[in-house]
């Protein structure tokens, strides 16, 4: 047991450790994923620092993670030459949780309603080590401090002391994991190798397993004295001796030595030729990128761009809309990872994508970019704008090809239809393109339709695109307005998303056809005969209309004959400049918030 200063874990940490241990005990191996990725993060940090301060690397120039097993002591040691931690870092990073929202998260996770998905998303991090360990010792050396040791058995407290061994690491972090009694499987070489391979495949630094090996070497030939042959009397003996030495010469000697076996032999997936990357590798990489073990993507695009900035990128559309997509503040978006020449720069780069595309997951590796490495210049740089433009273009290509497959595209619309509509509202330069990608429910079939397809089916003489709004398709179908238009053979778009109406008024028209809400009073069907009949009816029913208007004076603005109803006797409509019922509902909802 380490002698040193004692610290209590923050209550949240203790709680998190409990949740981790109680909910993830079936997959204890994830500690390897977490510790390897921490090593990789630490290596990213020191390499980033070295871009402006090359001397930072001198304390330990080779950048890697090495994993070693000691069977007798029943330990696994994971050593990285990353940025390391000062004493203060150890105390803070391995004793508290800095992430915002942790407390709320822990509240929802307490008890037995632990949601594995959420835990996976949250990233259980370092503390997952206690899934397999009953004692953990962390030595760490940062360039700004001496080497310190942190030790804990996960029960309430941890100890920190200056390392009595001195600054042995040069720079980096070494974690010694004392395995619990029932966790011997990690001492098994081939099992460990399998897991480490799995979790290091897409790590951008070499990950080694250090092995103690034996090899057989020939002993050095023994010098025989040339004088002995001169002594005739001792001939026999000399021969004997010579024989002995011959035997010695060929005796194999077994020596033990240590060797590091590289576990991740592939180049980073994004800089590889797409032809050499398999579907499975893209899927695997997506899981690593999102740090969600079950995450799937709906579609991806892997491409190389040349122009103002040369870069390679992989862009993924997730299979499900992220729960917090529209709540996320810009500052916490981690959907674009930026590398410059394989060096990780940042993953908070929301400036690469317009807001409505923040559901995408992208890795960019800029080649010879005039990108400056500081985040501030990244943000204002011209090259960023050029990359951003390219990404958006590629995204449209991807969606276009996705839309060839009706079923797949319907999935996309279900998940990201609202994002597209947000794009139609926000992205002025792309409104046209976006409007072609929009899909709506329609009276034509149960499938989604594009506006283009609607226009191609329009009746002769029909000038406008008809739509009706409501909170769901069934409700819309019940509407007398819709019923009447359908009876006349018109197709009606069913708008069931609260933003639809705003989007349409923003689009104003699609290829010259304007949008007509069939609930508005002066709907024109573009049918000459109808206009005639309407006028005749109006004269005929004038007394009734006058009486109704007088009776309902305080409720309605106007009472008129309509050609728009078939089986329903009457309907309430909004005026052209008034709000539709749906809009009123929306505004009411807003007012309540
Ligand atoms: P996260 O990696 O999501 O921040 P972790 O629990 O995995 O959460 O790690 C907590 C913090 O501890 C990290 O953010 C980092 O500052 C520090 N840390 C953990 N492992 C290492 C390491 N090997 N080298 C340097 N710092 C580390
Ligand atoms: Mg981590």
């Amino acid at each position: 047991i380490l002698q040193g200063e004692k610290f209590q874990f923050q209550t949240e940490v203790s709680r998190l450790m409990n949740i981790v241990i109680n909910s993830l005990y079936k997959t204890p191996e994830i500690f390897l994923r977490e510790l390897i990725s921490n090593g990789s993060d630490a290596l990213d940090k020191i390499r980033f620092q070295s871009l402006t301060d090359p001397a930072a690397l001198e304390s330990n120039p080779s950048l890697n993670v090495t994993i070693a097993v000691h069977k007798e002591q029943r330990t696994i040691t994971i050593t990285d030459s990353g940025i390391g931690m000062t004493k203060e870092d150890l105390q803070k990073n391995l004793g508290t949780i800095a992430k915002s929202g942790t407390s709320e998260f822990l509240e929802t996770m307490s008890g037995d309603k632990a949601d594995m998905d959420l835990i996976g998303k949250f990233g259980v991090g370092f503390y997952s080590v206690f899934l397999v360990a009953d004692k953990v010792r962390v030595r760490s050396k940062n360039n700004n401090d001496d080497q310190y040791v942190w030790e804990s058995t996960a029960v309430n407290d941890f100890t920190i002391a200056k390392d009595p061994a001195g600054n042995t690491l040069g720079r980096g972090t070494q974690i010694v994991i004392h395995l619990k009694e029932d966790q011997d499987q990690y001492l098994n070489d081939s099992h460990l190798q399998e897991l480490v391979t799995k979790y290091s495949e897409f790590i951008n630094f070499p990950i080694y397993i250090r092995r103690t090996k034996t090899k057989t070497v020939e002993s050095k030939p023994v010098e025989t004295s040339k004088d002995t042959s001169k002594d005739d009397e001792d001939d026999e003996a000399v021969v004997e001796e010579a024989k002995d030495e011959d035997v010695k010469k060929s005796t194999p000697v077994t020596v033990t030595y240590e060797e590091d076996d590289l576990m991740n032999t592939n180049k980073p997936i994004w800089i590889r030729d797409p032809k050499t990357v398999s579907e499975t590798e893209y899927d695997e990489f997506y899981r690593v990128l999102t740090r969600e073990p079950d995450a799937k993507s709906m579609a991806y695009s892997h491409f190389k761009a040349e122009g103002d900035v040369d870069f390679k990128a992989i862009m993924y559309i997730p299979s499900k809309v992220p729960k917090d997509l529209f709540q996320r503040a810009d500052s916490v978006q981690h959907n674009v990872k930026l590398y410059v020449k394989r060096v990780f720069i940042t993953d908070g780069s929301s400036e690469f994508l317009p807001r409505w595309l923040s559901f995408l997951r992208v890795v960019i590796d800029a080649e010879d970019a005039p990108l400056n490495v500081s985040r501030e210049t990244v943000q204002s740089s011209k090259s960023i704008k050029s990359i951003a433009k390219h990404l958006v273009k590629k995204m449209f290509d991807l969606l276009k090809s996705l839309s060839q497959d009706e079923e797949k595209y319907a999935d996309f619309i279900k998940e990201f239809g609202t994002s597209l509509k947000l794009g139609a509202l926000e992205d002025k330069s792309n409104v046209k393109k976006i409007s072609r990608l929009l899909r709506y429910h329609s009276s034509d079939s149960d499938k989604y339709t594009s506006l283009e397809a609607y226009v191609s089916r329009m009746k002769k003489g029909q000038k406008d695109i008809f739509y009706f709004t409501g909170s769901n398709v069934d409700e819309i179908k019940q509407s007398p307005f819709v019923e009447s238009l359908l009876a006349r053979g018109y197709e009606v778009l069913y708008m069931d998303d609260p933003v639809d109406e705003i989007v349409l008024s923003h689009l104003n028209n699609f290829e010259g056809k304007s949008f007509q809400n069939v609930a508005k009073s002066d709907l024109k069907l573009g049918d000459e005969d109808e206009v005639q009949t309407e006028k005749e009816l109006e004269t005929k029913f004038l007394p009734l209309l006058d009486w109704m208007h007088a009776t309902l004076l305080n409720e309605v603005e106007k009472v008129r004959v309509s050609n728009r109803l078939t089986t329903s006797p009457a309907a309430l409509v909004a005026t052209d400049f008034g709000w539709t019922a749906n809009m009123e509902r929306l505004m009411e909802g807003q007012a309540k918030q």
Side-chain angles (χ1 to χ4, degrees):
I1 287 288
L2 183 72
Q3 297 300 310
E5 226 176 314
K6 270 210 154 85
F7 300 91
Q8 299 289 309
F9 281 117
Q10 186 191 22
T11 14
E12 275 89 350
V13 173
S14 302
R15 229 192 290 168
L16 177 65
M17 285 199 281
N18 276 327
I19 292 170
V20 167
I21 287 164
N22 289 325
S23 55
L24 296 175
Y25 60 91
K26 280 185 189 142
T27 51
E29 62 176 66
I30 59 153
F31 84 95
L32 274 170
R33 178 188 78 198
E34 296 299 329
L35 296 188
I36 290 172
S37 78
N38 280 354
S40 167
D41 292 347
L43 288 161
D44 273 332
K45 285 178 194 158
I46 191 65
R47 191 159 62 173
F48 182 70
Q49 194 178 316
S50 77
L51 296 177
T52 46
D53 175 19
L57 285 184
E58 283 166 11
S59 45
N60 192 349
S62 96
L63 298 180
N64 64 65
V65 177
T66 305
I67 300 165
V69 168
H70 297 100
K71 292 201 169 98
E72 315 75 52
Q73 289 106 304
R74 304 184 63 259
T75 61
I76 300 177
T77 304
I78 303 180
T79 312
D80 68 66
S81 49
I83 195 160
M85 286 175 273
T86 61
K87 181 190 176 203
E88 208 186 318
D89 292 338
L90 281 170
Q91 191 185 331
K92 196 179 81 214
N93 299 338
L94 308 186
T96 61
I97 303 175
K99 278 181 211 147
S100 63
T102 303
S103 290
E104 295 86 340
F105 168 76
L106 291 171
E107 280 309 320
T108 66
M109 295 302 299
S110 55
D112 35 61
K113 27 178 193 158
D115 179 341
M116 301 287 287
D117 270 10
L118 276 180
I119 291 189
K121 234 175 219 164
F122 186 76
V124 289
F126 172 79
Y127 305 107
S128 63
V129 71
F130 290 108
L131 286 165
V132 299
D134 48 25
K135 189 173 103 179
V136 176
R137 179 172 281 202
V138 180
R139 320 184 114 87
S140 203
K141 172 74 180 80
N142 178 285
N143 284 342
N144 300 325
D145 205 348
D146 279 329
Q147 185 163 313
Y148 277 83
V149 193
W150 174 105
E151 190 178 279
S152 177
T153 54
V155 192
N156 300 326
D157 56 20
F158 57 91
T159 305
I160 295 182
K162 195 162 172 167
D163 196 336
N167 296 334
T168 54
L169 290 171
R171 188 197 63 248
T173 300
Q174 180 172 71
I175 303 171
V176 182
I177 301 157
H178 293 260
L179 292 172
K180 289 180 187 167
E181 297 234 311
D182 57 349
Q183 299 294 339
D184 275 353
Q185 69 264 34
Y186 301 104
L187 297 174
N188 173 320
D189 274 351
S190 59
H191 183 60
L192 185 72
Q193 168 158 353
E194 199 180 299
L195 295 174
V196 172
T197 308
K198 176 167 148 193
Y199 292 127
S200 61
E201 195 182 351
F202 299 106
I203 301 279
N204 218 357
F205 297 91
I207 313 288
Y208 298 103
I209 289 190
R210 174 158 298 172
R211 292 228 167 78
T212 306
K213 296 183 176 175
T214 56
K215 70 178 166 190
T216 314
V217 288
E218 301 288 307
S219 64
K220 276 192 180 157
V222 178
E223 287 279 329
T224 11
S225 158
K226 273 158 194 160
D227 289 346
T228 48
S229 58
K230 281 180 185 168
D231 198 335
D232 284 354
E233 282 166 28
D234 286 344
D235 256 353
E236 255 189 45
V238 171
V239 172
E240 276 294 320
E241 241 180 67
K243 263 188 195 157
D244 246 42
E245 272 158 18
D246 275 341
V247 172
K248 260 189 202 153
K249 256 187 221 170
S250 60
T251 300
V253 175
T254 307
V255 293
T256 55
Y257 65 103
E258 281 183 331
E259 196 170 79
D260 295 340
D261 290 342
L262 185 63
M263 294 294 117
N264 51 344
T265 43
N266 273 340
K267 279 192 286 187
I269 180 169
W270 60 89
I271 64 163
R272 283 164 60 191
D273 178 348
K275 284 192 213 87
T276 69
V277 186
S278 71
E279 195 105 342
T280 330
E281 284 177 297
Y282 283 119
D283 291 348
E284 241 344 283
F285 180 59
Y286 182 69
R287 288 191 275 274
V288 173
L289 191 65
T290 56
R291 296 198 173 174
E292 291 173 39
D294 303 320
K296 288 192 184 68
S297 74
M298 187 180 290
Y300 58 81
S301 167
H302 184 181
F303 57 92
K304 190 168 141 181
E306 276 156 3
D308 297 346
V309 189
D310 293 353
F311 69 94
K312 289 176 176 157
I314 305 182
M315 181 160 76
Y316 288 95
I317 299 175
S319 65
K320 288 258 169 291
V321 60
K323 278 182 195 138
D324 54 350
L325 186 62
F326 296 113
Q327 274 103 55
R328 282 196 305 231
D330 278 353
S331 58
V332 294
Q333 284 183 5
H334 298 296
N335 55 329
V336 179
K337 251 186 202 295
L338 172 68
Y339 291 82
V340 173
K341 290 199 186 94
R342 258 71 76 212
V343 178
F344 175 73
I345 305 294
T346 164
D347 67 353
S349 351
S350 47
E351 53 280 343
F352 282 106
L353 290 170
R355 200 164 72 114
W356 66 279
L357 285 177
S358 59
F359 61 87
L360 292 174
R361 287 287 194 152
V362 191
V363 174
I364 305 168
D365 201 327
E367 205 35 60
D368 181 26
L371 285 171
N372 200 307
V373 288
S374 93
R375 284 224 52 197
E376 290 65 40
T377 39
V378 161
Q379 286 176 11
S380 61
S381 147
K382 244 192 194 163
S383 15
I384 295 300
K385 291 208 179 78
S386 152
I387 291 178
K389 229 172 144 184
H390 220 105
L391 286 181
V392 173
K393 183 181 163 297
K394 284 290 178 183
M395 199 276 324
F396 278 118
D397 291 349
L398 180 59
L399 286 186
K400 216 170 166 189
S401 77
L402 193 65
S403 68
Q404 308 295 307
D405 183 330
E406 211 172 86
E407 230 164 273
K408 270 195 182 166
Y409 196 63
D411 286 341
F412 173 78
I413 289 295
K414 253 179 238 142
E415 297 297 325
F416 301 105
T418 307
S419 290
L420 272 185
K421 289 167 193 168
L422 183 68
L425 294 176
E426 289 188 346
D427 196 340
K428 286 201 182 70
S429 55
N430 289 308
V431 175
K432 276 228 168 77
K433 274 188 188 157
I434 295 171
S435 66
R436 270 183 217 115
L437 289 166
L438 294 171
R439 295 292 181 274
Y440 295 101
H441 295 292
S442 133
S443 56
D444 183 60
S445 81
D446 287 341
K447 292 182 179 147
Y448 284 116
T449 182
S450 65
L451 294 172
E452 219 168 342
Y454 179 98
V455 169
S456 76
R457 288 188 296 262
M458 272 170 43
K459 267 180 73 162
K460 215 166 165 236
Q462 182 183 347
K463 290 191 182 63
D464 303 324
I465 297 172
F466 297 129
Y467 71 92
F468 191 74
T469 57
S471 50
N472 61 64
V473 170
D474 283 336
E475 182 196 301
I476 296 172
K477 279 184 185 164
Q478 307 285 320
S479 154
F481 305 124
V482 171
E483 163 207 313
S484 125
L485 257 84
L486 298 190
R488 282 154 212 260
Y490 291 102
E491 179 180 347
V492 179
L493 296 178
Y494 299 159
M495 307 273 170
D496 60 346
D497 186 336
V499 301
D500 282 337
E501 216 166 353
I502 304 168
V503 171
L504 293 188
S505 70
H506 194 83
L507 291 180
N508 189 32
N509 72 79
F510 178 78
E511 288 170 1
K513 312 276 185 289
S514 52
F515 297 101
Q516 280 288 336
N517 187 334
V518 302
K520 290 286 176 80
S521 64
D522 63 345
L523 183 74
K524 289 174 196 73
L525 297 176
D527 201 327
E528 292 302 321
D529 293 347
E530 302 241 358
V531 178
Q532 195 50 40
T533 352
E534 207 173 321
K535 275 195 184 125
E536 284 165 19
L537 288 171
E538 200 125 350
T539 334
K540 190 173 162 194
F541 285 99
L542 198 59
L544 176 66
L545 295 179
D546 281 346
W547 176 79
M548 285 178 99
H549 193 214
T551 314
L552 298 169
L553 204 56
N554 295 326
E555 331 292 336
V556 303
E557 202 174 293
K558 206 169 21 176
V559 180
R560 41 170 292 200
V561 167
S562 167
N563 60 2
R564 295 161 50 198
L565 303 172
T566 42
T567 55
S568 310
L572 280 167
V573 301
T575 61
D576 221 17
F577 302 103
W579 281 347
T580 58
N582 187 55
M583 200 66 168
E584 282 201 24
R585 219 174 6 236
L586 221 117
M587 299 315 281
E588 254 170 50
Q590 294 245 312
K592 272 181 209 141
Q593 274 173 10

